Each structure stands twice: as structure tokens, then as C-alpha cells.
Amino acid sequence: MSLCPHMQQRLFSHQCVQACQSLPACKPVLTPGWVVEIVDRYDIDCVPESSRMDKVSYIRDDSIPKNCSRFMKVHKYMKAPIYIYYQLDNYYQNHRRYVKSRSDKQLLDGQKYHDTSSCQPVESNNNRPIVPCGLIAWSLFNDTFEFIREGAELKVNRKNIAWKSDRGHKFGKNVYPFNFQNGTLIGGGKLNPEIPLSDQEDLIVWMRTSALPSFRKLYGRIEEDLDVDDVVVVNLTNNYNTYSFGGKKKLVLSTSSWLGGKNDFLGHACVFVGCSSLTLAIIFMLLHVKYRRPYGDTSYLPWNRKSFSG
Amino acid sequence: MAAASSRKRKGKIRWSKLYSFAACFRPLTSEERPAARELIGQPGFSRVVFCNEPHLHKRKPYKYPYNYISTTKYNVLTFLPRALFEQFRRVANFYFLLAAIFSLFSLAPFSRASLIAPLVFVVGISMLKEAVEDWHRFLQDLDVNNRTVKTHISNGVFVDKLWKELRVGDVVKVNKGEYFPSDLLLLSSSYEDGVCYVETMNLDGETNLKIKRCLEASLCLNEDEEFSKFKATVHCEDPNPNLYTFVGNIEFEKESYPLSPSQLLLRDSKLRNTDYIYGVVIFSGHDTKAVRNSTRSPSKRSRIERKMDHIIYILFSMLVLVSLVSSFGSLLYLRQDMVDWWYLQLPDDNKVNDLDDSNSEKYDDRFFNPSKPVQSAGLQFIRALILYGYLIPISLYVSIEVVKVLQTMLINKDIELYDDVTCKSVQARTSNLNEELGQVEMILSDKTGTLTCNQMEFRKCSIAGLSYGGDITEVDLAASMRMNTDFEPFEFSIDETDGATRSFEPFEFSVSSFSAQNGNARLTKTEGPVIKGFNFRDDRLTNKNWIHGSNLFDITMFFRVMALCHTGIPLEDDNHKTDKLSYEAESPEEVSFLIASQEFGFQFCRRTQSLMVLKEFDPSSMKEVEREYKLLNLLEFSSSRKRMSVIVSNEDGQIFLLCKGADSIIFDRLADNGKAYEQATTMHLSSYAEDGLRTLAFAFRTIEAAEYESWNTIFTQAKATIGPEREELLEQASEMIEKDLILLGVVAVEDKLQKGVPECIDKLAQAGLKIWLLTGDKRETAINIGFACSLLRQDMKQFHLSLSRDAESNNQVKDMKEDILQQIESSYKMVCEERNKEAPFGLVIDGKALEIALRGDVKDEFLQLAVNCASVICCRVSPKQKALITRLVKQYTGKTTLAIGDGANDVGMIQEADIGVGISGMEGMQAVMAGDLSLPQFRFLERLLIVHGHWCYQRISKMVLYFVYKNVAFGLTLFYYELYTSFSGEVLYDDWYMTMFNVMLTSLPVIALGVLEQDVSSDICLQFPALYQQGPRNVHFSWSRIIGWILNGVVSSLVIFLANIYILSPTAMRENGFVADIDSLGAITYTCIIWTVNCQIALITSHFTWIQHLSIWGSILLWYIFLLVYGALPPNFSGNAFQVLVEGIGSAPLYWMITVLVVVVSLLPYFIHIVIQRSYFPMDDHIIQEMEQCYKKYDVRDNEMWVREQRNSQRSTRIGFSARVDAKILSFNQQLQQKKLSIYRSVTNSPIYRSITTSPFS
């Protein structure tokens, strides 16, 4: 059923022209590219058999090491850069309470900005403000990944994974984490207080809240090509708690094309729309040939129609 | 100067004495007086007026209002509260007000500014419109209030004073032709006997002049100087709206005299035929009867707007439904799942805290409180109501108002609707009925001043059995022209044209000669100077050629009747350029007779109390001689007698009775030897009547001196009688002398129709409109006009509903009811029987019968009959009945009615109808003030309805439907997103995107559509009036269309939302691996919406001007510009939209691709719909559009098919000029066939033919 990505794109461009009969659109020149995606769900497998009955207490127990190794086999040649995503399902980052719980001004100005009321319920601890405040920052994702191929560590570039405008204008260069995760209640990851927020790209990525409850976030880039049948060993620390609400955690390696990542829906939609447009065009053409209504045929005028009753 | 010259003439004649019948009601009023006197001083009759002492009225208790009039709705103080109240009476506005209030308490999902700004904008614009409209009303008032009138100040000096400064007690002098500034007590007039003539057309619509008479006691006050010492006190009734009663008395020189309505001059009536009057102000300003009578015009709403309310209700129920779904969903999530979402840190008291939650106590989020789920759900419900408010098109009302104001501007500025005679153009006074103009099905029209100019023209006459001045009528011309085009090769002429007469006689015609005559007739019409009231061309009579006629005596007598049998007086021309005189008389008919007789050489030059002087042209001496006729008696015209006679004796002592009257009356009274011309005259009469001319028969008799003497004693006795039997005695007396008449002939005068009226009625009839004529005039006049403007025609079956004499005399309501019911039923039976036949029906009903017919149980039958008749004429109806008919027709048929009239008597009708139109050409302003529109002339109704009405209807309905579509398409995406956010109330779009949606990004194209859209051009609209039927049948705003558009909106929203989330999630959207976050998804989805709704309107629009292009494509461009600018602002202002286009989505090719894909798919359903509709179920406007396109290359008018279709479209009409032409052609054709047949027979019967046919050669 699944078409190869290349075919999809070819088909898409072809069908789109059909679909756009009414609105002429420019036809982009396509460069062939393979979009390869490896998805690995690790949230269950990374919990030891013994703890699987009560995953929540396992994840909350700080004394247990959360290291875990996964093996990923490369089915197709993957050209660098290969994007590393972590994917969370059933995680409502778009919940209104959650989305609102941040202070953009504080992110830019740090402790100079005092009003953190928008960050409720995580605005201060021990009567001192938290930087960065708010639920989003507090629940920062903190699983870590290491990639090893054939015994050698794959270099993961974790720079430039956030929007440049965010780094430049929304997160202050002189703002350092302060009083963060110091409370009794620890949500997610901690931040290095030595590094200004504008360089904490994990945080910046996390704070661009997702639109839907199932989302991916960029973790980094592998800047080496992966060959077919390469086996990548992933050493991860499974810190983040998705178990209490039954969320899934996935690790995704994906290349991208000019249209972004792998997207079956786009291809299917284009094929479907193209086909239906074509079918309709043919039907109307046939109808037009067979039951043609002469242009400006006056017999359709109401006063010429017998059934007309004024 | 003028006053001096008029004073000279004063005293020539005791004008009032001419009216022998005028005094007959006086005894009745005197009987009522004692009763009235007792009332004075009682409650309700407590007003005291100190004449000539207005300063006494400055203090209480005699402080009465100034004569200042205000018709404005608001004043400076009340404007704000009242206008705001009006605004928030609208459901949608009130809803948004509530939303704005909630936004103050942090309940709303949006920022305060984004909720309040559009509301302020919308309400502000509506209020601005109200203010501007009220300002115009204020200016109009100002105009009236600043008129001036001569007012007495002191010592007999009269100066100009503004109307508004007039006080009760002021003595004023009103000159001829001026309006009375307030209700005045008549003190004296330029006539010695203190009468004056008043035109009350503005009050009751009656065009005849009314006589008012001052008290004998105040007769002496007829000079300016007399008023220096004048003092009197009036005690009278309190202000009331009753026009026909007045109770009071005046204390003058220590004597008290009773007052009656005949001393009261009402505001808004006009002084006529009297040089000046003196009067004292009794009621001023808002106390006057005219103002008390006027009701504030009800605010009218169009059908579309009323239906729009229902749409709003549907959308409201949708809103409540999705809000309920949201709040229940939220409740479920809150109970089941949300407590487990540790990242939300929900306040949780019930369950054991997994995390030690210390913050929960101080921070309590009411929307997500698991311990109080129901309360949270309730709050979520309110929030959802506000959130999904985008389903309710907030800017719909304001856009419609803006559009309507612009439409009104287009209508007002239409050069085709400009009358260069009066320099006035159409004025839409309220703009909220524009689209209603396209749905009118019934027109209720007044006659005088609306259809006719209230001016008579002498057109034709038949003297001694010969018809004069009869050129071919328009109908014949049109019929012959069309026959010539239809039967080009048909050469068939029968030359029987009588050399002596050029008049058109039935059975004497030739198709080919018509065209020649046609040209001549046109030519002669334009020749020569035009004499007002005299439109007569016949060489046999004009230029004194009548002296060569055969029946010289009859002709002379005819002219004498014309010159003597009347009540008019000649007016002296100030500049004696010509020896022609102008005349004034009670009715314009008489004026036209006098002018005509002057043209024929019988100039009526003087009249004294008992003498009438004619300048006659004597055929024997060929010189003008002055002859005096002694006026012996004058038998007044009355509606029951239908005739008028004078008895005169000439210089030789011969006594003549000269009589004019309705033909039936005269014919009944002919002597045996006086019927010589009866047959010929009857024929002429019917042909005149068919042309809509008003006819009067002239007759005379000579009376022996002895007979006269004996009769005169009876008559004088009758005249002297006092009491109710006086009238009867007088009638009997005149009956005795008006007999054995000798018929002279008939005259036909044209009640001159206003310019273009027949053509306009014709077009309106073709458009499928029914026209009812409601007039206060008598039946004959009404029927004549019916013929003249083709509402009636000869082959039409006419029903006359009137009370039979017995029923009327019995005065039993039950009898009358039965009588009418029977008439209605028999007529209706006939209608049912003959419905399939071609002959249309006409209904004529008079006021008395109407009164019965409109009562409870009869009215349904009556209306059923009336609706089935092609035309309805109601004569002798009162203003109240006019309004009643309008209301009943509106209620019974449920159709949109338009009432048009010019006088104050039409005000009720104008206010009652769905659309009221006032004619502004006349002087009175009541109808105009009451109307929703004002037209300078009736004929503009054609373009107003068929072009502007049609367009506005289409525009507004398209606009409303589109509005519904765009708001549903947008609003539902918000709801779908809720499904993905666990109903938490998060919004996909930035606040300002949403605010911009209705205000900027989608408002201009729809306004352009509403103002400029046209399905076909105005020419085509007028050529195919049948297109107008789309409005009355409401094809563009039917429920199926409304539901269709709502569904279309639902589909579009689904496509837009689903496509976006499936394409953009969860994978990367750009090559650099970035994924779409909530801001990007919002911006992309929003882009798709902007594109879709704007492209949708491009599909709807059928008339593209650069404005449409600019607004549609400009709106889309504006969105990108907005996004760019907004995103470039510092993040403090732009928030989530910071750099979203530049950095986030703009560089992603996927974004642009999604836009194209989504727009195509979401427009596909509508596109398929219009493809199928155009190809297989085209509407009339589609076909005509195509025809227009097809034949643009050629000249459209020359195209054969074009002409044929144009004619076909008119086929089904039953009234109007074209219908008459069709009927005429039919009868011509039948006659031709007969002629052919008879010729064929005569030929075949001839021996030569037989010999040929029997010859062996064939």
C-alpha cells in the first residue's frame, strides 16, 4: 500500500496539476530525495520487567538508574543530516492552562522582570522567582540519547535546533536559570545555571508548544550518512514521566526533503484529490459532449418553459 | 404692487354667491352650535387664546409651544442612550456586548481589546449612520421652521417672521399660494364676504378647493391698519388630531360669537384663489392638527433582514450546541484524564497527591478544578460561547449598513433617476429597504399627483356627430408598427378612408398607410406653440375654420356651452402681452374648457354677479363681437347629480339652459328631437373612453319665458328652504327644468398623465407586478385613468362592486354585507370559470362597498377575488381605507407591497406598506416625509424597481449568504481544534488574527460585492423585466440556499482543518527538520481560511471591476503584509506571531503547497455545484448573461433572437400598454382575415372568376 516517498512526490506533483484546474499554480521543480524515517517506541521496553506493573513509581524513583539501550536498524540509506526527534503521544502541550503558563518577558529580561503572575502555578519558590518560570519550563523533557555505530559514537549536533528568532529575540542572552527545579516538586529536566537561556536550545525547543497532543520535537542532528543495514545503538536515559497518563515516548530518526519529513497523508490526499478532479473532469466532459446545452440557449428561459407558472 | 392690483378687483363679485348649494349645510352646523358652546371651559376645551397679544402667552398658564416643529428621533442629550439602546436590541450586538463584559472578568479566551474593539467599531458605525440620518431630518425641519410669514407686530405693521418664532395669538397675513404656518382662525380675506379657498391636498388628498368663511363680526378687519387696535379672546378646545371638528368661541368687542371648523385654517393646507387672508394663530407647532395627525413612521425592516434574524438564530443554536459539546467534553476530560496530567499541576484535593503539591492552595484555576468539575464545566461553557462567537457574524450588520448606505448613494446619484424639470432626484430616506425593492409584488398607487399631474387637457370633441381632433392613439400606432415588422411582405390595404375625417375609425385601416400617418401624427404633435391645457389639433376647428362646418348652429351652441356653463373666473394677466386670458375654476377640467373655448374664438372675458361676457367670433361678420349673457340660475354640480347647468338669457332675451354632464345622465334627458347625433356620439364616446379620456356631454334647450318664470318661483322657494329637505327640493326643482335637452356633442379631456407613466406601468406589468389604483376620486375618473395607463382595456372583463341603491338606503350593515358578498361570489365564480381563457379581469370597487368588503368575514372573499384580477381600481376611498387595504393585502397575500403617493392622504398607506414611496415633485412634503423613498416622478419607479431593486436584492442576499459561509467556515475550525486540546479552551489563532478576520481581511470584498455586483447590466434588466421575478420568488434567499451555504461552510472548515493537521503533524515541515508548533499551525490554517473565503467570493462575483479585484486580492495580500508587520514587532507586542512568517512558515514550500491544495479542495464542492447548475439547470440570468456575451459582437438590439426573446418574455402580461397592443394586433388580424375572406368570396363568386376557373387552361 505504501508508496515509496519518491513515487509519492512524483505523483503528487502530477496530480496536483490536475487538482488545480481552477487555479493555475506554479509547478515546483522537484529534486529527488528519499525521506527515510525510523521510529522506535521505547517507553515500555526501557522499564525493567520487574517494574512494569508499577511504571509510575519506577520513573519517580530517583535511586534507580534509568539507562537503557536500544538498537535501530537502518533499512535504507540515510543521507546526512539525519534529524533526531523525540515524539510524545497523548501529551497535551496545547492545554490552555499549560500554554499560558509562561512569561515571555521574563525569558527575555530574567529577574529584571518581576511580574510572573502569568506563570502560575510555578512562578516562585521560597519567595524567590523562578527563572524560567511556568509549567512549560518546569516540565522540560529530560531524556537523553547517545548514538553509537559500530562501536564509535555518532556525532550529534545539538546546535541550531531552535528557531533563530527565538534564540535571538525571545530568550535573553544574559538571562541565566535561577531557582529552577529547586522546589519540592520536580517536574522535568534541570538547566545548567551557567548557560544563558538563549543557548539552552533544548528549553527553547520545548517551549515552542506543540499544536496537537501527539508531537515531535527536534533533539539534534546526526551529521553522518547512515548506510543500509547499519545498526545504531542508542544509549538513552529514560527520565521523563509519561507513565502516569499513559503517554508514549518514541525516538525518531528521519531525513528530510524540501517538503519536510515523511508524510503519507500529503501524498494520499494529492492522489485522491487529483483522481477525483480528473474523474469529475471526464464525467463533465462526457456529459457536455452528450447532453450539451447550447450556449445561450433561450429555451431555458422561464417564459419559454412550459412548466413555468408565474 | 400686487396687493394694490388685487384690491382693485376685489368687490367685483361676491364669489361665494355663485355657489347656490354651498350654503346648504349651514343650517346643520348651526344646530350643533348650542351644544358646542356648553363645552367651552370644560376639561378638554380649556384653551384660551388672546388674539393679537402673543406676549400674554409667554407665561403660564397660557404658555403654549412655539410654532417650532421637530421630527428628529434624537436630540443632543438623548442620542447616546437611545441610539445605544437601539443598537443593543439586536440579538447579535447584545451577545457581543455580553462577551465584551465577560472579557473584563478574565472569562474570555481572548484579550479584552480584541473583543471590545470590533464591537465599538460596529456599534460606532451604526450609530454614526443613525446620527447622519437624524441630521438630515433636522435640516429638513430647519427648512420648514425657517419659512417666513407676514406677522403683525404693532400699529398695523406686518413684518416677515420665521415660522418657528410664531406664537399663539399672533396675527398673520398669508398670501395666495402660501401654506398656513399653523392652525389659524380666519379673520378676514381679500374677498368682501370673507371667504377664502383652501387646498387641503396635503391633509386629505382631495384636490377640490374648500371654502372657509370668517365670522361676520371680523369682516371689517381687512386692512393692515385695522389690526393696530384689534383685540379678542378665543376660548376653544385643546389640541387634538381631529381634522374636521373645532369647537370654540371668540369674544370680540364685548360680544361672543361661536366658532366652527369653517373658520379654522389648518397647517399644511394652502391658500388658493384668494389674494390674502388675515388670521390669528390658535394652535402652533406640535399642537396643530396636522402634526398631531402625523404618526411617527414605523421603522421597517426588509424581508431579507427578517429572515436574516432566523439565520442568526440558527447560528446561535449551532453556537450553543458546540459550546455544550465543548463543556461536556471538558467535564469528561477533567473527571477522567486530566488529573493524571502531572504537567498541569491541577489543584487536586480528593485524590492522594502523587507529587506533593504545595502550590495548589494558593493557585486555584477555576476552569480546571477537578474537585468542582461541574462549576468548571459551566465556566467552560461560557468561555466556549465567547470563543465560538465567530460563528455569529458580528460585522454582518455593520457591513450591511455600510453596503446599504453605499447602495443608497448609487441610487440617489443615478443620473437616469434625475428629473431635470423639478431638479430633484430619487432620495432613499431610509437605506434599510434597498433589497426589498427587488421583491415587490404589489404596487398600490395613488392617482392624482402620482399618475396624473392634476392637469386637464382638452383633447378631442365630437360635435354634431363628427369627431374632431382624433389622431391615432398610441396603441394603434404601436400595433401597426409591430404588425408591419411582423408581416413584412403583407400588402393588403382597403381604401375606404373617408376624406372628410382623418380620425381613426374601426374597420377603416390600412396597414401600410399607418406608417405614413404615423409619421404625420408625430410631426403635427410637435408643431406650434404649446398651450397649457389645450392639446387639440384639427384644422377643421382651429384657426376659426369651424365657420365652414356644416352644422354651424350646433357648433356655435357647443362652444357657448363650453364658455358659459362653468363657475370659473378669468384672471387678468399682469403683462398684457397677448389678449389671451387665463382662468381659475374649481376643477382643472373647467379651466381646460375655458381655455379651449377661448382658442375656438369664444373668449369668456368677464363675469359679474349676474352677467357673463363672451367675446364671440361672429361667422357672418367675420369679426369678434362682445356679447353679454344674463346669468339667471346656476344649477351646481354634485356627485349625485353628475351634471351642471346654467340658465342664461342672451341679448335678444332668449332663455337657454346650457347643460354639461356625464353622458349617461345627459342621454337620459334628451328630447325626442335632440337625439340626432346620439348614435355617432355614442360611438365616439366609447373610443374616447378606451383611450382613457374623461368625457362630458354637452346639451342645451331653449326655455320659453313663461315656463322659466313658473319654474323659477319653485326653484327660489326651494332655495329658501331651511332644513334637511332643502337638498331634495332643489334636486327636484332642477330635475324639472333639465329635460328635453338637445344633444350637441361630447368633449374629451385628458387627465394628463405624468411623463412616462404608461410606459412605466407597462414595464412593471411585464415584471409581473400587480398594480392597484387607490384613489379618492370618483369612479368615472378612476376608470378613465385606468384606461389611460392601460390598467384597464376594452376587452377586459370588468367587475364593478358597489352597493345597490336599496342596500345603501336601508343602511343595514347586514344587507349591505350580503349584497357585496353576493357580488363578490358571482364575480369569483366567473373568474374561476374563465381562468384558462386569455381575457384578464379588472375589478373596480368604490369606497362604500370597500368599507363593507373589508369587514371581517367578507374580506377574505374579497381579497381572493381581488388577487385574481389583473388590475384593481378602488375609487372614493378615504386615506384610512387606503391604509387598511394596504395592511390587509399585505397580511392576506403575504406579498411585499409598495405604496406610492404624493399627498398627506397617502401617508397612512405609505407607512403601512412594506415600502412607502412619496412623490417629491409636488409641493407637499407629508408623503415624502413619511415615505422610505421619494421619487420626483412615478416613472422612475420602473428603473428603481427593475434595475436597482433587482440588483440590491441579489447583492444583499449574496452578501448575507456569503457572510454566513465565511463565519461558519472560520468559526468551526476553532471548535475542531478544541477536540484536540481536550476542550481546554485553547485557541489556534492569535487574538489579532481573529480580530482582523471580520474587520479587515474579509470585509472589503464582501462590501464590494454588496455595492457593485450586477448579474446583468441595467439595459438588460429593463429589456427583460421578467428577470425581476427572481426577487418575488425569492430564488436567491430561499432556505435551501441558506442551508446549502451553511453546509458549504461546514465542508470548507473540515477540509481546511483536517488537511492542515494531517499534513503538518507530526513530521517536520521544513527541510531543516523543524516541526510545526502551535503558532505555525495557526498561521498556516489561517492563511488557508483567508485564501478560501476570498477565492469563494471571487467565484460568487459575476461582475468584476477593478474594485473587486483590488479588494479580493488585496485582502489576501493584506494578510501577508499584516503577518509580516505584526511578526516584525518586538515579541512583547507580537507574542506568538513573532517572526512567524519570515522564519517559521514562509520559507517552507509545504506552506505554500498546502495553501493551494486546501483552497482547491475546499472550493471544489461549490465549483461542482455551479458547473452542474450552469450546464443543466441554468437560471434565467445565466442564460441572459450568455446571450449578452454571445451577441456582444453584433449590435444587441438588432439581433433577431434578442428581439424575439424580449417579446416572449413579455407575453404573459395582462395589463399595460404592451398587453393592449397585443390585444389590438389580435383583433386587427381577425379583421384582416375577415376582409380577406370576404374579398376571396366576392372574387370567387364573381362570374369572371368562375369562368376562369372553369376554363380548360387550368
Side-chain angles (χ1 to χ4, degrees), chain B residues 243-517:
Chain B
L243 291 178
Y244 303 108
T245 63
F246 177 68
V247 178
N249 60 26
I250 181 167
E251 274 171 39
F252 178 49
E253 290 169 353
K254 289 169 192 163
E255 284 235 31
S256 176
Y257 307 93
L259 297 171
S260 70
S262 70
Q263 279 94 45
L264 193 67
L265 305 171
L266 299 175
R267 185 185 172 121
D268 286 332
S269 49
K270 195 177 179 184
L271 187 66
R272 293 286 304 269
N273 285 11
T274 316
D275 287 316
Y276 56 88
I277 60 110
Y278 291 104
V280 61
V281 177
I282 299 282
F283 299 119
S284 58
H286 288 272
D287 287 345
T288 56
K289 288 173 183 278
V291 177
R292 292 242 157 186
N293 243 305
S294 68
T295 45
R296 184 149 282 166
S297 53
S299 69
K300 295 174 187 172
R301 303 185 67 206
S302 69
R303 265 153 200 258
I304 289 194
E305 221 168 299
R306 273 175 273 161
K307 207 166 181 180
M308 207 166 80
D309 281 349
H310 292 282
I311 299 177
I312 298 282
Y313 294 139
I314 290 185
L315 293 176
F316 255 117
S317 9
M318 261 172 91
L319 168 67
V320 171
L321 186 77
V322 293
S323 299
L324 274 178
V325 169
S326 291
S327 103
F328 272 113
S330 159
L331 181 68
L332 287 180
Y333 266 103
L334 194 58
R335 278 212 168 136
Q336 304 290 322
D337 301 339
M338 231 176 262
V339 284
D340 297 327
W341 302 347
W342 57 266
Y343 49 87
L344 292 181
Q345 282 200 12
L346 285 180
D348 191 351
D349 310 323
N350 301 341
K351 292 198 174 179
V352 181
N353 276 343
D354 293 344
L355 304 164
D356 185 18
D357 191 344
S358 59
N359 288 331
S360 64
E361 284 135 31
K362 63 179 182 190
Y363 178 62
D364 181 27
D365 192 341
R366 284 165 299 160
F367 286 98
F368 307 102
N369 193 340
S371 57
K372 296 174 190 159
V374 179
Q375 183 209 341
S376 299
L379 288 170
Q380 286 288 355
F381 179 70
I382 293 175
R383 181 146 75 183
L385 279 181
I386 299 170
L387 173 63
Y388 304 137
Y390 279 88
L391 284 174
I392 314 293
I394 182 176
S395 53
L396 175 58
Y397 286 111
V398 73
S399 304
I400 284 186
E401 298 216 326
V402 169
V403 160
K404 282 181 174 175
V405 167
L406 292 173
Q407 283 178 348
T408 309
M409 261 169 58
L410 289 185
I411 294 174
N412 289 352
K413 298 273 180 264
D414 190 341
I415 194 71
E416 307 267 323
L417 296 179
Y418 178 76
D419 184 29
D420 30 359
V421 180
T422 54
C423 293
K424 279 179 179 162
S425 64
V426 169
Q427 284 291 325
R429 299 185 66 246
T430 50
S431 54
N432 47 3
L433 290 173
N434 293 345
E435 72 275 14
E436 194 85 338
L437 289 174
Q439 292 193 283
V440 175
E441 281 183 89
M442 289 237 175
I443 296 175
L444 301 144
S445 172
D446 175 45
K447 185 188 76 71
T448 317
T450 307
L451 297 177
T452 65
C453 340
N454 198 22
Q455 181 190 330
M456 296 289 173
E457 273 193 346
F458 187 88
R459 280 301 299 275
K460 296 181 185 188
C461 60
S462 156
I463 309 173
L466 284 180
S467 174
Y468 298 95
D471 43 5
I472 306 149
T473 62
E474 300 279 318
V475 173
D476 296 328
L477 279 178
S480 71
M481 270 165 71
R482 196 179 317 155
M483 278 175 77
N484 280 340
T485 56
D486 280 5
F487 309 99
E488 204 68 74
F490 190 72
E491 288 281 336
F492 184 80
S493 85
I494 310 142
D495 252 340
E496 285 177 302
T497 335
D498 188 359
T501 165
R502 264 185 55 209
S503 70
F504 175 80
E505 306 276 350
F507 300 102
E508 294 175 13
F509 69 97
S510 90
V511 171
S512 51
S513 64
F514 262 141
S515 40
Q517 279 189 6

Side-chain angles (χ1 to χ4, degrees), chain A residues 85 97 120 165 208 256 263, chain B residues 345 363 1063 1071 1073 1077 1143:
Chain A
Y85 300 95
R97 182 181 161 91
Q120 284 181 331
S165 63
R208 272 222 165 252
S256 80
N263 197 331
Chain B
Q345 282 200 12
Y363 178 62
I1063 291 172
E1071 199 164 8
D1077 66 320
E1143 198 176 358

Side-chain angles (χ1 to χ4, degrees), chain A:
Chain A
M1 180 58 206
S2 75
L3 293 155
C4 70
H6 175 63
M7 267 306 286
Q8 271 175 33
Q9 279 161 19
R10 288 284 300 275
L11 259 174
F12 167 70
S13 69
H14 185 73
Q15 298 297 344
C16 194
V17 176
Q18 292 293 342
C20 307
Q21 290 172 89
S22 54
L23 288 162
C26 65
K27 181 179 168 189
V29 182
L30 306 182
T31 45
W34 302 89
V35 177
V36 186
E37 194 175 276
I38 307 168
V39 181
D40 177 53
R41 180 177 171 183
Y42 65 87
D43 57 325
I44 298 172
D45 294 341
C46 279
V47 179
E49 292 281 348
S50 54
S51 305
R52 280 196 190 162
M53 293 309 291
D54 190 4
K55 292 184 282 241
V56 176
S57 52
Y58 163 78
I59 200 76
R60 289 201 174 156
D61 192 346
D62 287 338
S63 56
I64 309 170
K66 305 288 177 12
N67 292 334
C68 173
S69 286
R70 305 289 296 164
F71 300 93
M72 293 171 104
K73 196 169 179 215
V74 179
H75 302 285
K76 278 192 188 115
Y77 170 73
M78 291 172 90
K79 192 174 184 305
I82 298 156
Y83 296 97
I84 307 161
Y85 300 95
Y86 55 90
Q87 176 172 346
L88 299 177
D89 286 351
N90 197 25
Y91 188 101
Y92 283 85
Q93 231 195 350
N94 58 14
H95 193 283
R96 185 177 167 80
R97 182 181 161 91
Y98 187 83
V99 171
K100 296 281 173 252
S101 184
R102 63 187 283 165
S103 166
D104 281 334
K105 283 181 181 152
Q106 193 210 38
L107 291 174
L108 195 61
D109 300 330
Q111 290 189 70
K112 283 181 223 154
Y113 185 77
H114 300 291
D115 183 16
T116 53
S117 58
S118 65
C119 285
Q120 284 181 331
V122 192
E123 74 271 31
S124 64
N125 190 24
N126 300 327
N127 293 326
R128 283 194 293 180
I130 298 170
V131 182
C133 68
L135 281 173
I136 312 178
W138 175 74
S139 60
L140 175 66
F141 186 77
N142 58 354
D143 285 6
T144 57
F145 308 97
E146 274 178 14
F147 298 89
I148 295 158
R149 181 176 62 174
E150 292 159 5
E153 190 176 344
L154 278 171
K155 198 154 186 254
V156 174
N157 184 355
R158 303 202 52 205
K159 288 283 161 206
N160 296 331
I161 55 174
W163 289 29
K164 203 173 150 212
S165 63
D166 282 1
R167 282 182 277 139
H169 302 282
K170 287 182 109 174
F171 290 80
K173 285 190 174 60
N174 300 314
V175 180
Y176 296 91
F178 176 77
N179 200 17
F180 188 67
Q181 303 286 28
N182 268 353
T184 45
L185 200 64
I186 309 260
K190 298 195 176 180
L191 293 173
N192 183 351
E194 306 295 316
I195 303 173
L197 288 187
S198 60
D199 289 338
Q200 307 262 15
E201 292 205 34
D202 279 333
L203 178 76
I204 299 174
V205 168
W206 180 252
M207 288 195 77
R208 272 222 165 252
T209 49
S210 70
L212 297 171
S214 167
F215 59 91
R216 282 178 193 176
K217 287 202 181 285
L218 195 55
Y219 181 81
R221 285 185 296 272
I222 299 172
E223 287 176 336
E224 290 171 45
D225 296 356
L226 293 180
D227 284 324
V228 184
D229 292 338
D230 274 356
V231 174
V232 178
V233 181
V234 185
N235 287 328
L236 57 86
T237 52
N238 181 19
N239 294 325
Y240 204 69
N241 175 13
T242 59
Y243 300 102
S244 39
F245 51 87
K248 298 171 194 165
K249 287 200 278 193
K250 289 173 188 165
L251 179 66
V252 180
L253 297 184
S254 173
T255 59
S256 80
S257 72
W258 63 277
L259 274 178
K262 181 178 170 177
N263 197 331
D264 287 348
F265 180 82
L266 184 64
H268 292 161
C270 284
V271 172
F272 177 75
V273 171
C275 285
S276 18
S277 303
L278 197 65
T279 318
L280 280 171
I282 291 167
I283 290 172
F284 280 130
M285 178 74 89
L286 288 176
L287 282 175
H288 183 68
V289 169
K290 198 154 184 205
Y291 307 102
R292 183 189 174 135
R293 180 176 72 83
Y295 190 61
D297 183 358
T298 55
S299 63
Y300 280 88
L301 287 169
W303 47 87
N304 290 337
R305 252 181 272 157
K306 277 205 171 154
S307 58
F308 172 70
S309 56

Side-chain angles (χ1 to χ4, degrees), chain B residues 1100-1245:
Chain B
I1100 300 172
T1101 310
S1102 59
H1103 181 78
F1104 271 104
T1105 64
W1106 64 268
I1107 297 176
Q1108 265 101 344
H1109 281 297
L1110 183 74
S1111 60
I1112 293 175
W1113 314 124
S1115 291
I1116 295 174
L1117 195 66
L1118 185 68
W1119 157 240
Y1120 290 112
I1121 293 171
F1122 166 76
L1123 201 56
L1124 208 63
V1125 172
Y1126 185 47
L1129 296 176
N1132 278 349
F1133 300 103
S1134 57
N1136 299 334
F1138 181 64
Q1139 295 287 354
V1140 78
L1141 182 67
V1142 176
E1143 198 176 358
I1145 57 177
S1147 53
L1150 193 61
Y1151 165 60
W1152 306 98
M1153 190 160 279
I1154 286 176
T1155 312
V1156 174
L1157 181 74
V1158 166
V1159 168
V1160 169
V1161 176
S1162 55
L1163 293 183
L1164 211 54
Y1166 181 76
F1167 191 71
I1168 293 170
H1169 166 78
I1170 55 170
V1171 164
I1172 293 176
Q1173 191 191 32
R1174 277 246 174 208
S1175 315
Y1176 302 104
F1177 310 99
M1179 306 213 310
D1180 13 4
D1181 53 328
H1182 294 157
I1183 302 279
I1184 290 172
Q1185 279 167 10
E1186 287 169 15
M1187 283 162 64
E1188 197 184 357
Q1189 285 288 320
C1190 265
Y1191 299 103
K1192 218 165 214 172
K1193 299 170 248 179
Y1194 320 107
D1195 184 12
V1196 160
R1197 271 152 215 78
D1198 288 346
N1199 189 277
E1200 194 185 311
M1201 180 205 68
W1202 190 260
V1203 176
R1204 189 187 70 225
E1205 288 312 322
Q1206 229 178 301
R1207 193 158 333 129
N1208 282 348
S1209 73
Q1210 301 165 358
R1211 209 168 40 194
S1212 58
T1213 41
R1214 287 167 151 199
I1215 54 170
F1217 187 71
S1218 320
R1220 257 175 86 187
V1221 171
D1222 281 338
K1224 200 84 187 181
I1225 287 179
L1226 204 71
S1227 75
F1228 274 175
N1229 278 340
Q1230 281 165 357
Q1231 289 163 21
L1232 278 175
Q1233 289 299 325
Q1234 278 173 1
K1235 288 275 177 192
K1236 255 191 192 166
L1237 212 67
S1238 65
I1239 288 172
Y1240 176 77
R1241 278 207 201 104
S1242 64
V1243 170
T1244 46
N1245 288 342

Side-chain angles (χ1 to χ4, degrees), chain B residues 490-548:
Chain B
F490 190 72
E491 288 281 336
F492 184 80
S493 85
I494 310 142
D495 252 340
E496 285 177 302
T497 335
D498 188 359
T501 165
R502 264 185 55 209
S503 70
F504 175 80
E505 306 276 350
F507 300 102
E508 294 175 13
F509 69 97
S510 90
V511 171
S512 51
S513 64
F514 262 141
S515 40
Q517 279 189 6
N518 167 13
N520 292 340
R522 291 261 166 230
L523 225 69
T524 50
K525 259 192 179 173
T526 51
E527 273 172 8
V530 181
I531 301 154
K532 199 179 163 196
F534 185 72
N535 184 7
F536 182 85
R537 301 276 175 278
D538 199 318
D539 295 341
R540 290 169 294 163
L541 288 186
T542 48
N543 299 328
K544 319 271 177 342
N545 284 337
W546 52 269
I547 53 167
H548 310 300

